[in-house]
Amino acid sequence: MDVALLPALFDALVVAQTGSVGEAARRLHKTASAVSQQLRRIEEHFGVALFEKVGRGVRPSLASETVLGSLTRLFDEAASLETQLGELAGAKISTLRVAASDYLGEALLLPVLRQLFAEGVALRFEITTTNSTEAARLVADGQVDVALVSRDRALGPDETFLCRQRFFWVAPRPRRGARQPIRGRLGREPLLRLDGDRQERRILDELLGRERLRPLSTIDVPSVSLMLSYARQGLGIGLVPELTLRTADHTTLSVEAADVPAIDVRLVCRPTLKRSKPVARFLDGLTDLARQAPPHDARALRPRRPRRAA
């Protein structure tokens, strides 16, 4: 194989992963025309069309799809080789690419990172914040090494069960008057929902349909953390996963357990991930933290009244 084609093949892989020449160029720190030129170079060399236009983006052609798996493994192995050579050369710091949703990152990732840095573990991190579906896809495409995801399907071969989390309603705490169950307030206050095709959104929609609940109005938000922030500031009611409540300020929130199925939180690793001692320490830290966390008790989330001075 002509090794001079490797840079062009890598550009083609990033285009396939992003579905956009412009987005690939942004990630590669190149111009779109330079990436397009690399694609034409490969197509002219092998005599095949790699991509087809779809709206404003592109998708792999049939010929391209047959080699994407091999191409992904090629550069995946190259990244692993670079790490090994760096260790042989005495390099002390390797990079671990991690993807997680905002609330899983805050509840599980941040405490482990603090502990690792306090222990002086030599490991560099690249963190991508995204939803669980996209995080799992990034691992499958070789764009990240590790992902924290929430899902309810069967455990995959490269997945490790971390914990099972329930769902809770969160709503602004009433300023005065008798407390009313949060579900009963949906006819008077807006409902906060995650936008897009998210598992948490599907669980909420199934609950609304099953119990024939009709909210006054709805507000779509891009993240669980933002949903919690809106609820805390009195803007609506949301259905949030349990781990969201671990770091939340409950002094302005009412919290109520929701009658919906719990979901798993899992650790997904790239199959060829080299588990050096720092990487293994990081993975073990995530597993230990997730499994030692007790389930939330909605009653324990009520703010305590300050003691009167003697």
Side-chain angles (χ1 to χ4, degrees), residues 125-157:
F125 290 89
E126 293 179 1
I127 310 297
T128 299
T129 301
T130 184
N131 61 69
S132 291
T133 301
E134 178 66 9
R137 187 192 68 79
L138 291 174
V139 173
D141 290 345
Q143 296 186 59
V144 300
D145 305 304
V146 176
L148 291 170
V149 304
S150 57
R151 56 175 60 178
D152 55 3
R153 68 185 190 187
L155 198 67

Side-chain angles (χ1 to χ4, degrees), residues 244-279:
T244 305
L245 302 176
R246 179 180 293 184
T247 57
D249 176 12
H250 308 294
T251 59
T252 57
L253 286 174
S254 292
V255 180
E256 179 182 301
D259 185 18
V260 297
I263 57 174
D264 292 348
V265 177
R266 298 162 183 197
L267 181 65
V268 183
C269 295
R270 181 167 51 87
T272 57
L273 175 64
K274 188 177 186 302
R275 304 197 179 210
S276 61
K277 288 184 178 181
V279 171

